[in-house]
Amino acid sequence: MTESNASSSQQPSKRWAHFHSALQLAIQRSAHKWTYADFTECFPLWCEEQPENAPRIFATISKHMDDSITEKCEELLKKYNVRENIDNLHAVVTEARVRKHSGGYNGPDVWRENLHPGAAVRARTIPLLEKERDRLRAELEELDKENLRLQGDMQRNVEAREQVDAETSALLDMLDEIEARWSQLPLDEVQAWTLQTAESKSSTRSL
């Protein structure tokens, strides 16, 4: 009979080993409780006609019953983590015995007759909660630093964008002013002067 948690690398506890051995013995006794004499009483004629095959058939049936019961038990042991639970129980009992022989344990969470269960629970859980609080507080401080850094980067980006917008606005104002002044010029005189200049340059080139 294989152990229900054979894949585990940890050595099983003595409590589990005793339990498993007792279960194995019970399965063997149950599977082989039906003797060959009982078998022959159920099939007297066939056993008389097959004196050589009957014992082999009986042994095969007994082994099949043993294997079948063992397989079902192993499935249940694995399904409900029986070995793990028994090992945990063994560890708790062993620790309690060690404490008893060493003079006991006087921690704030130890059970005493005048101690309320809630106080014992708080004595064990509050230190864990405080440790988690400190961890979260440190993580929050790191997040605050990161937020400040990101806020500074964003502020610098906003200032740079505002500067670009201001320069763009100034350039557009300058273009508007140039356009306004250009529209005030006497276009007819400008065109005449441009034409005269072009003709003058053309005459000079021909000479």
Side-chain angles (χ1 to χ4, degrees):
M1 181 177 182
T2 59
E3 292 184 356
S4 61
N5 201 9
S7 60
S8 176
S9 59
Q10 297 181 352
Q11 185 176 1
S13 63
K14 292 182 179 180
R15 194 176 298 270
W16 163 257
H18 293 161
F19 170 81
H20 201 259
S21 298
L23 178 61
Q24 182 180 12
L25 180 60
I27 292 174
Q28 291 176 352
R29 289 182 176 178
S30 175
H32 298 283
K33 185 177 181 180
W34 188 36
T35 64
Y36 182 70
D38 297 328
F39 182 75
T40 57
E41 289 182 3
C42 293
F43 309 99
L45 182 60
W46 183 80
C47 291
E48 184 178 352
E49 294 176 352
Q50 301 287 336
E52 296 181 357
N53 294 330
R56 289 199 297 268
I57 296 299
F58 169 75
T60 301
I61 294 175
S62 298
K63 186 177 184 304
H64 174 73
M65 292 176 61
D66 191 337
D67 294 341
S68 179
I69 297 174
T70 298
E71 182 180 358
K72 296 299 181 182
C73 288
E74 291 295 340
E75 291 178 358
L76 291 174
L77 294 176
K78 184 176 181 180
K79 179 179 179 180
Y80 295 103
N81 297 324
V82 176
R83 172 180 168 178
E84 180 181 357
N85 293 329
I86 291 180
D87 287 346
N88 291 337
L89 174 62
H90 181 74
V92 171
V93 173
T94 302
E95 182 181 359
R97 288 176 178 173
V98 172
R99 288 181 178 180
K100 182 178 180 180
H101 290 300
S102 62
Y105 172 68
N106 296 321
D109 60 331
V110 69
W111 169 253
R112 295 187 297 273
E113 293 183 0
N114 59 347
L115 179 64
H116 191 275
V121 172
R122 288 192 295 271
R124 181 173 291 271
T125 57
I126 287 178
L128 298 177
L129 294 176
E130 290 177 345
K131 183 178 180 180
E132 181 66 12
R133 178 204 60 192
D134 295 339
R135 186 189 68 81
L136 293 175
R137 182 176 294 172
E139 184 176 350
L140 181 60
E141 291 178 357
E142 292 296 327
L143 291 175
D144 288 340
K145 292 179 181 179
E146 181 67 13
N147 288 337
L148 290 176
R149 186 185 67 80
L150 294 175
Q151 185 177 358
D153 293 342
M154 184 176 64
Q155 183 65 28
R156 286 188 291 271
N157 292 335
V158 170
E159 292 175 355
R161 177 64 181 273
E162 290 178 350
Q163 183 178 357
V164 171
D165 291 343
E167 293 176 354
T168 303
S169 178
L171 181 59
L172 292 175
D173 292 341
M174 183 182 298
L175 292 175
D176 290 340
E177 184 179 356
I178 292 174
E179 183 182 5
R181 291 185 179 182
W182 177 263
S183 62
Q184 295 176 0
L185 293 176
L187 296 181
D188 294 339
E189 295 180 3
V190 172
Q191 291 177 356
W193 177 81
T194 302
L195 180 60
Q196 182 180 359
T197 302
E199 291 176 351
S200 175
K201 289 182 178 181
S202 177
S203 300
T204 303
R205 290 176 181 176
S206 62
L207 294 177

